[in-house]
Structure formats: C-alpha cells, structure tokens
Amino acid sequence: MNAIQKYFKYRQSLIDQYAKGDMTKREYLERNYEAVVYGDIQPFRNIDTVEKALFNYQYYNALAKQMKSVSTTKDLDYELKQDYREKSNYYYSKKDRATLAALRMLDFHGVEAYFIKIRSKFLKGKLFEINIPEEEIILHSTSPLILKCLREEGVFQEESKKSLIDDYVNRRY
C-alpha cells in the first residue's frame, strides 16, 4: 500500500467514525488536517493521476478549512483575520485546480454535477457537488470556472439536489 492509499484508508476510518457519531465534524476536520499536514506525503506538483489529484484536493481542502476556522477566532486582530481568510481562499483555489485536473483526466466521463440544497445563505446557489459514482468520488466547489466547464461538457444539472453527504455539508463546525 502506497502513502496515498494509506492516507485514503485512514480518511475513510475518520469518515466512518464521524458517520457513527463517534466524533464531531470539528474533530473529523482536525484529524484530517493533521493527517495531510503531518503525513508521509506532500501535495503533488505534477498531477498525472486521478489519485494524485484527489489527494491534492483533500490536502488543500483541509488547509483551506483550517485557515477559515482560525479566521473566525474572536480575539484575533482584524488584519490577521483577513490574512487567514486570504490563505483560505488561496488553498480553495489550489483545491479547485486539483478538481479540474481530476475531471479532465476522467474526460468528464461518468460525472454528475448539481447545486446542492444548503442551509448557508452565503453558499446557496454557489456550492455544487460533483459526483462520480463509478469512482466513488464526491467533490464540492464554488468555482465559476469549474461550473462553466461542467456546463460545457453537458454534465451539470441545473436543479438543486440534496447532497449525498447532506448531514456533513450542512453541519456547522
């Protein structure tokens, strides 16, 4: 088992614990963050496999969520909050690059995408889910570029649907 497979196996165990109620969403996010930051592998510069793209997606998503979480700390100076928000946005953009790389490698084959029903007013009509059932992949994005590509490829459904991981995406952390 290579390092990427080891990470995804560990991540699945975290998801299983979260699904059983053995950990909160915040605990899940913290453990996943620790796994990617302190794990055996770093993000890939050359994304030449879907597996590498998915690792980069998880890596940058974990960093983005961590920076966003820190930016909400109450006693943090305004400029520091802004700095953490900018870092979060930067990591989300790196995550979106990994998403697009994976979609292109798959040639958008077997992809279903749609906006999800979300409680957040800010994300309503912006957050969409990318489901690739054959590969057991569920990704999320708000990227206008990815949305444009999904529409151009004819795989984006214009209706809003309940997310396949609704409890997770609609739970605050």
Side-chain angles (χ1 to χ4, degrees):
M1 183 181 305
N2 69 31
I4 299 175
Q5 292 166 332
K6 209 157 98 175
Y7 162 73
F8 279 112
K9 185 176 181 181
Y10 176 71
R11 181 176 169 274
Q12 187 58 54
S13 77
L14 293 178
I15 291 169
D16 293 344
Q17 290 174 63
Y18 171 77
K20 285 188 230 167
D22 292 344
M23 74 171 56
T24 65
K25 183 173 181 176
R26 182 172 294 282
E27 289 170 326
Y28 164 79
L29 292 171
E30 286 171 5
R31 290 198 181 133
N32 188 52
Y33 172 77
E34 290 166 1
V36 297
V37 172
Y38 304 115
D40 297 339
I41 45 180
Q42 294 296 308
F44 297 94
R45 288 178 190 220
N46 179 28
I47 302 175
D48 56 358
T49 67
V50 172
E51 189 177 53
K52 286 179 181 178
L54 294 175
F55 177 79
N56 279 20
Y57 173 98
Q58 292 301 330
Y59 182 91
Y60 290 118
N61 193 46
L63 266 64
K65 286 186 184 322
Q66 180 70 15
M67 295 300 115
K68 186 176 179 184
S69 182
V70 172
S71 78
T72 63
T73 305
K74 288 183 182 181
D75 297 333
L76 203 59
D77 177 65
Y78 176 79
E79 288 176 11
L80 267 177
K81 284 183 184 230
Q82 284 300 105
D83 187 43
Y84 281 109
R85 282 189 197 114
E86 286 174 21
K87 286 179 182 174
S88 176
N89 290 335
Y90 170 75
Y91 291 132
Y92 276 130
S93 74
K94 299 279 274 182
K95 176 196 83 159
D96 286 332
R97 282 189 217 155
T99 301
L100 203 47
L103 290 170
R104 287 179 173 151
M105 278 185 263
L106 292 167
D107 198 27
F108 293 83
H109 177 75
V111 173
E112 306 168 351
Y114 41 84
F115 288 114
I116 59 173
K117 294 179 180 176
I118 190 98
R119 290 186 195 121
S120 164
K121 287 181 174 84
F122 177 74
L123 292 173
K124 198 168 283 196
K126 293 180 187 169
L127 183 64
F128 53 91
E129 186 163 85
I130 302 164
N131 178 26
I132 309 163
E134 289 176 20
E135 305 287 333
E136 297 182 6
I137 297 171
I138 300 170
L139 308 172
H140 293 95
S141 183
T142 60
S143 165
L145 175 61
I146 294 173
L147 181 59
K148 179 179 180 274
C149 292
L150 292 165
R151 284 176 168 150
E152 285 173 357
E153 293 294 328
V155 297
F156 192 84
Q157 302 162 20
E158 295 299 333
E159 70 207 76
S160 288
K161 292 184 177 183
K162 183 177 178 180
S163 171
L164 296 171
I165 53 173
D166 182 67
D167 179 62
Y168 177 80
V169 296
N170 276 302
R171 186 167 305 241
R172 294 183 67 97
Y173 58 95

PDB file of all heavy atoms in Angstrom, residues 125-136:
ATOM      1  N   GLY A 125     -26.881  28.476  -4.058  1.00  0.00           N
ATOM      2  CA  GLY A 125     -26.731  28.829  -5.464  1.00  0.00           C
ATOM      3  C   GLY A 125     -25.283  28.968  -5.907  1.00  0.00           C
ATOM      4  O   GLY A 125     -25.019  29.357  -7.040  1.00  0.00           O
ATOM      5  N   LYS A 126     -24.349  28.677  -5.006  1.00  0.00           N
ATOM      6  CA  LYS A 126     -22.919  28.740  -5.347  1.00  0.00           C
ATOM      7  C   LYS A 126     -22.225  27.398  -5.181  1.00  0.00           C
ATOM      8  O   LYS A 126     -21.376  27.039  -5.988  1.00  0.00           O
ATOM      9  CB  LYS A 126     -22.203  29.757  -4.442  1.00  0.00           C
ATOM     10  CG  LYS A 126     -22.617  31.189  -4.670  1.00  0.00           C
ATOM     11  CD  LYS A 126     -21.852  32.108  -3.737  1.00  0.00           C
ATOM     12  CE  LYS A 126     -22.390  33.524  -3.831  1.00  0.00           C
ATOM     13  NZ  LYS A 126     -21.853  34.370  -2.777  1.00  0.00           N
ATOM     14  N   LEU A 127     -22.569  26.680  -4.109  1.00  0.00           N
ATOM     15  CA  LEU A 127     -21.896  25.409  -3.822  1.00  0.00           C
ATOM     16  C   LEU A 127     -22.531  24.289  -4.631  1.00  0.00           C
ATOM     17  O   LEU A 127     -23.746  24.097  -4.594  1.00  0.00           O
ATOM     18  CB  LEU A 127     -21.975  25.081  -2.328  1.00  0.00           C
ATOM     19  CG  LEU A 127     -21.257  23.811  -1.884  1.00  0.00           C
ATOM     20  CD1 LEU A 127     -19.742  23.930  -2.098  1.00  0.00           C
ATOM     21  CD2 LEU A 127     -21.549  23.527  -0.407  1.00  0.00           C
ATOM     22  N   PHE A 128     -21.691  23.591  -5.382  1.00  0.00           N
ATOM     23  CA  PHE A 128     -22.202  22.468  -6.157  1.00  0.00           C
ATOM     24  C   PHE A 128     -21.411  21.213  -5.840  1.00  0.00           C
ATOM     25  O   PHE A 128     -20.295  21.258  -5.336  1.00  0.00           O
ATOM     26  CB  PHE A 128     -22.221  22.766  -7.662  1.00  0.00           C
ATOM     27  CG  PHE A 128     -20.915  23.247  -8.231  1.00  0.00           C
ATOM     28  CD1 PHE A 128     -19.989  22.347  -8.756  1.00  0.00           C
ATOM     29  CD2 PHE A 128     -20.617  24.600  -8.274  1.00  0.00           C
ATOM     30  CE1 PHE A 128     -18.796  22.793  -9.294  1.00  0.00           C
ATOM     31  CE2 PHE A 128     -19.421  25.057  -8.814  1.00  0.00           C
ATOM     32  CZ  PHE A 128     -18.507  24.143  -9.326  1.00  0.00           C
ATOM     33  N   GLU A 129     -22.073  20.094  -6.111  1.00  0.00           N
ATOM     34  CA  GLU A 129     -21.496  18.779  -5.840  1.00  0.00           C
ATOM     35  C   GLU A 129     -21.142  18.129  -7.162  1.00  0.00           C
ATOM     36  O   GLU A 129     -21.891  18.230  -8.133  1.00  0.00           O
ATOM     37  CB  GLU A 129     -22.531  17.939  -5.079  1.00  0.00           C
ATOM     38  CG  GLU A 129     -22.051  16.605  -4.589  1.00  0.00           C
ATOM     39  CD  GLU A 129     -22.989  16.074  -3.519  1.00  0.00           C
ATOM     40  OE1 GLU A 129     -24.011  15.436  -3.887  1.00  0.00           O
ATOM     41  OE2 GLU A 129     -22.728  16.317  -2.320  1.00  0.00           O
ATOM     42  N   ILE A 130     -20.015  17.471  -7.171  1.00  0.00           N
ATOM     43  CA  ILE A 130     -19.565  16.711  -8.325  1.00  0.00           C
ATOM     44  C   ILE A 130     -19.517  15.258  -7.875  1.00  0.00           C
ATOM     45  O   ILE A 130     -18.731  14.905  -6.998  1.00  0.00           O
ATOM     46  CB  ILE A 130     -18.179  17.186  -8.805  1.00  0.00           C
ATOM     47  CG1 ILE A 130     -18.223  18.677  -9.148  1.00  0.00           C
ATOM     48  CG2 ILE A 130     -17.707  16.338  -9.988  1.00  0.00           C
ATOM     49  CD1 ILE A 130     -16.848  19.320  -9.263  1.00  0.00           C
ATOM     50  N   ASN A 131     -20.373  14.453  -8.446  1.00  0.00           N
ATOM     51  CA  ASN A 131     -20.472  13.050  -8.071  1.00  0.00           C
ATOM     52  C   ASN A 131     -19.981  12.193  -9.233  1.00  0.00           C
ATOM     53  O   ASN A 131     -20.422  12.377 -10.368  1.00  0.00           O
ATOM     54  CB  ASN A 131     -21.927  12.709  -7.710  1.00  0.00           C
ATOM     55  CG  ASN A 131     -22.108  11.255  -7.348  1.00  0.00           C
ATOM     56  OD1 ASN A 131     -21.179  10.586  -6.904  1.00  0.00           O
ATOM     57  ND2 ASN A 131     -23.311  10.758  -7.523  1.00  0.00           N
ATOM     58  N   ILE A 132     -19.077  11.287  -8.918  1.00  0.00           N
ATOM     59  CA  ILE A 132     -18.585  10.341  -9.919  1.00  0.00           C
ATOM     60  C   ILE A 132     -18.800   8.949  -9.320  1.00  0.00           C
ATOM     61  O   ILE A 132     -17.907   8.379  -8.679  1.00  0.00           O
ATOM     62  CB  ILE A 132     -17.098  10.605 -10.257  1.00  0.00           C
ATOM     63  CG1 ILE A 132     -16.901  12.091 -10.593  1.00  0.00           C
ATOM     64  CG2 ILE A 132     -16.648   9.713 -11.421  1.00  0.00           C
ATOM     65  CD1 ILE A 132     -15.473  12.560 -10.558  1.00  0.00           C
ATOM     66  N   PRO A 133     -20.025   8.417  -9.472  1.00  0.00           N
ATOM     67  CA  PRO A 133     -20.409   7.177  -8.796  1.00  0.00           C
ATOM     68  C   PRO A 133     -19.482   5.983  -9.064  1.00  0.00           C
ATOM     69  O   PRO A 133     -19.150   5.248  -8.134  1.00  0.00           O
ATOM     70  CB  PRO A 133     -21.820   6.893  -9.318  1.00  0.00           C
ATOM     71  CG  PRO A 133     -22.299   8.159  -9.897  1.00  0.00           C
ATOM     72  CD  PRO A 133     -21.100   8.947 -10.291  1.00  0.00           C
ATOM     73  N   GLU A 134     -19.066   5.798 -10.320  1.00  0.00           N
ATOM     74  CA  GLU A 134     -18.208   4.654 -10.661  1.00  0.00           C
ATOM     75  C   GLU A 134     -16.896   4.674  -9.885  1.00  0.00           C
ATOM     76  O   GLU A 134     -16.324   3.632  -9.601  1.00  0.00           O
ATOM     77  CB  GLU A 134     -17.901   4.642 -12.161  1.00  0.00           C
ATOM     78  CG  GLU A 134     -19.072   4.281 -13.025  1.00  0.00           C
ATOM     79  CD  GLU A 134     -18.738   4.369 -14.508  1.00  0.00           C
ATOM     80  OE1 GLU A 134     -17.556   4.341 -14.880  1.00  0.00           O
ATOM     81  OE2 GLU A 134     -19.703   4.470 -15.297  1.00  0.00           O
ATOM     82  N   GLU A 135     -16.413   5.857  -9.564  1.00  0.00           N
ATOM     83  CA  GLU A 135     -15.133   6.007  -8.857  1.00  0.00           C
ATOM     84  C   GLU A 135     -15.336   6.234  -7.356  1.00  0.00           C
ATOM     85  O   GLU A 135     -14.362   6.365  -6.622  1.00  0.00           O
ATOM     86  CB  GLU A 135     -14.355   7.203  -9.440  1.00  0.00           C
ATOM     87  CG  GLU A 135     -14.125   7.146 -10.929  1.00  0.00           C
ATOM     88  CD  GLU A 135     -13.087   6.129 -11.328  1.00  0.00           C
ATOM     89  OE1 GLU A 135     -12.190   5.822 -10.519  1.00  0.00           O
ATOM     90  OE2 GLU A 135     -13.170   5.635 -12.465  1.00  0.00           O
ATOM     91  N   GLU A 136     -16.612   6.311  -6.927  1.00  0.00           N
ATOM     92  CA  GLU A 136     -16.955   6.615  -5.536  1.00  0.00           C
ATOM     93  C   GLU A 136     -16.303   7.930  -5.091  1.00  0.00           C
ATOM     94  O   GLU A 136     -15.667   8.017  -4.039  1.00  0.00           O
ATOM     95  CB  GLU A 136     -16.574   5.467  -4.602  1.00  0.00           C
ATOM     96  CG  GLU A 136     -17.324   4.186  -4.911  1.00  0.00           C
ATOM     97  CD  GLU A 136     -16.986   3.051  -3.966  1.00  0.00           C
ATOM     98  OE1 GLU A 136     -16.251   3.263  -2.982  1.00  0.00           O
ATOM     99  OE2 GLU A 136     -17.472   1.935  -4.219  1.00  0.00           O
TER     100      GLU A 136
END
